[in-house]
Amino acid sequence: MDIAIFSSHRYERSTLEHAFTNSSHTLVFFDVHLNSQQAPLANGFDAVCVFVNDVVDAKTIEILSAGGTKLIALRCAGFNNVDTEAAKSYGIRVVRVPAYSPFAVAEHACALMLTLNRHIHKAYNKVRDSNFSIEGLCGFDLHGKTVGVIGTGAIGQVFCQIMQGFGCKVLAFDPVPNDSCLALGVKYVDLDQLLMDSDIISLHCPLNPKTHHIINHETLKKCKPHAVIINTSRGGLINTHAVIDTLKQGRLGGLAIDVYEEESDVFFEDLSDQIIADDDLMRLTTFPNVLVTGHQAFLTREALTNIAETTRENIEAFAAGSDLINEI
Ligand code: NAD
C-alpha cells in the first residue's frame, strides 16, 4: 500500500522508516497538516497517516475518498480531530494507537508540575547568568497535598501512582472508575468536590462535547485560589479566556499546559523568527506562574517506537483484511 504520512517531523521519521523496513508498503512524508486544502496531496494513496493537529473533517474525508483512500491511520490516541461518522459514511476505516506510553505523558505532567512549583525553569536561566540568588524560587511540598485527577484511564492511572509516590492524597473524577485506581486507594468524587478540595488538578480525559471547556469560568471559581492546573490532554478542555481572566485576578496558583486550544497553527513549528498573531497564547506566556510546552508529553524514545510499530501493525492488518483491533 502507498501511505501518505502527514504532519511528519524529523524526530519521528527514522523511527517510522525503521518500523516499515521489511514491509512492502511505501511511505511518503508530507510536512504539512492534512486538511481540506492539502487533501489532494493524498490522491492515489491507499492510506493517510495523521497526527493530533491534522483536520480530518467531513470535507477532507470527501476529498480523500474521491482520491481512493481507504484507511486513516492515526499516530496518536485521541481522535477528536477526525469526523468518524463522515469516514464511516464513505467506507473509510479509522485506526489509532490507543496506548503507546502512558508513562511518557504522565511523567511529563509530573515534570511540568515540579518545574512550575519549584521554578526550575527560572533557576536554570538564573544560574546560567551567574545569579545564584534563590529569591523568588520558593515552592511548596507535594507531600500531603491533595491532587485531583480528571480522567483515570491509562495515563491518569499512572499519574495517580506517581502522585501517591510523593505522598499526595489522590481524588479522581471519571464516569467510569478504574478498578486499579480504586485498589490504589484513589477516592472517586464528583467534579465539584474535586475542584474544591484539590491543590493540584491534572486533566487526563479525552476531548469530546462533554469535556470541552470542562475548565471554564464556573469551574475555575470552585478551585482553591492557590490551585495549580496541569493539562497534558487536549487544549479544548480549558477555556483559555476564562483561565487568563482568573490568572489576571490572582485567583489561580499556576497553570502548566502541554496543549492549547488554538495550538494547531503554532505547535510543532519553529516560529522563533516570526511574529505570533495569537494574543491569548502570548498573554499566557507572560504570566510568571504559567508554563507552556509545545505538545511534547508523548515524546520519548519508547513512545515513538510503540507509535511506529502499532501504526505498521494497524496498516498491515488492514492490508491483509484482518480484524482491526485498534479501529475507532
Ligand atoms: P484513556 O481512554 O485510557 O482514558 C481516558 C479516561 O477519561 C477514561 O477513563 C474515560 O472514562 C475518562 N473520561 C471520559 N469522559 C470523561 C469525563 N467527562 N470526565 C472525566 N473523565 C472522563 O485515554 P489515555 O490514554 O489515558 O489518554 C487521555 C488523553 O490524553 C487522550 O484523550 C489524549 O487527548 C491525551 N494525550 C495527550 C498526549 C500528549 O502528548 N500531550 C499524548 C497522549 C494522549
Side-chain angles (χ1 to χ4, degrees), residues 144-190:
K145 295 295 182 297
T146 299
V147 177
V149 180
I150 300 182
T152 52
I155 297 168
Q157 180 188 326
V158 175
F159 188 76
C160 290
Q161 283 167 318
I162 296 173
M163 290 302 101
Q164 286 190 327
F166 278 110
C168 297
K169 177 181 170 192
V170 183
L171 303 178
F173 170 68
D174 191 317
V176 187
N178 175 331
D179 287 342
S180 301
C181 289
L182 286 166
L184 287 169
V186 170
K187 189 176 169 207
Y188 281 87
V189 293
D190 62 31

Side-chain angles (χ1 to χ4, degrees), residues 51-52 76-80 96 98-102 105 108 149-157 173-178 203-208 210-211 214 231-234 237 258-259 295-299:
F51 198 49
V52 291
C76 52
F79 51 90
N80 51 285
R96 66 176 180 139
Y100 39 87
S101 173
V105 183
H108 190 75
V149 180
I150 300 182
T152 52
I155 297 168
Q157 180 188 326
F173 170 68
D174 191 317
V176 187
N178 175 331
L203 304 174
H204 298 289
C205 56
L207 176 62
N208 59 37
K210 278 196 180 143
T211 59
I214 193 167
N231 187 10
T232 53
S233 201
R234 283 292 180 266
L237 297 177
D258 184 52
V259 287
H295 211 134
Q296 68 172 84
F298 70 98
L299 194 60

Side-chain angles (χ1 to χ4, degrees), residues 37-274:
Q37 283 83 46
Q38 305 294 352
L41 287 171
N43 195 12
F45 283 86
D46 308 289
V48 293
C49 184
V50 299
F51 198 49
V52 291
N53 289 323
D54 291 301
V55 183
V56 198
D57 55 10
K59 181 78 193 144
T60 305
I61 287 167
E62 185 188 341
I63 300 166
L64 291 178
S65 173
T69 297
K70 295 275 178 281
L71 180 72
I72 297 167
L74 287 139
R75 306 196 292 289
C76 52
F79 51 90
N80 51 285
N81 54 334
V82 180
D83 187 333
T84 49
E85 285 306 312
K88 204 171 169 186
S89 71
Y90 283 98
I92 296 182
R93 314 275 294 270
V94 185
V95 287
R96 66 176 180 139
V97 182
Y100 39 87
S101 173
F103 310 105
V105 183
E107 287 170 14
H108 190 75
C110 182
L112 285 175
M113 184 185 56
L114 288 171
T115 305
L116 187 63
N117 173 28
R118 304 304 298 269
H119 310 285
I120 305 298
H121 52 316
K122 293 181 189 172
Y124 174 82
N125 285 322
K126 283 173 82 151
V127 167
R128 283 172 71 95
D129 199 26
S130 302
N131 177 353
F132 300 99
S133 159
I134 59 170
E135 289 299 337
L137 302 183
C138 186
F140 59 83
D141 284 8
L142 283 178
H143 183 89
K145 295 295 182 297
T146 299
V147 177
V149 180
I150 300 182
T152 52
I155 297 168
Q157 180 188 326
V158 175
F159 188 76
C160 290
Q161 283 167 318
I162 296 173
M163 290 302 101
Q164 286 190 327
F166 278 110
C168 297
K169 177 181 170 192
V170 183
L171 303 178
F173 170 68
D174 191 317
V176 187
N178 175 331
D179 287 342
S180 301
C181 289
L182 286 166
L184 287 169
V186 170
K187 189 176 169 207
Y188 281 87
V189 293
D190 62 31
L191 183 60
D192 281 358
Q193 191 75 48
L194 182 146
L195 297 169
M196 287 187 298
D197 291 354
S198 300
D199 302 296
I200 296 155
I201 296 165
S202 195
L203 304 174
H204 298 289
C205 56
L207 176 62
N208 59 37
K210 278 196 180 143
T211 59
H212 181 249
H213 287 181
I214 193 167
I215 300 297
N216 55 47
H217 277 111
E218 292 312 308
T219 50
L220 282 163
K221 274 187 203 140
K222 294 175 183 156
C223 295
K224 292 182 179 182
H226 65 258
V228 173
I229 297 180
I230 305 157
N231 187 10
T232 53
S233 201
R234 283 292 180 266
L237 297 177
I238 296 183
N239 178 331
T240 307
H241 290 152
V243 89
I244 289 175
D245 287 347
T246 310
L247 284 160
K248 279 167 78 174
Q249 291 161 18
R251 286 197 291 107
L252 195 60
L255 174 75
I257 55 173
D258 184 52
V259 287
Y260 165 62
E261 56 180 336
E262 300 299 332
E263 72 178 46
S264 61
D265 290 336
V266 277
F267 281 15
F268 301 108
E269 306 302 331
D270 178 0
L271 305 177
S272 50
D273 62 352
Q274 295 187 31

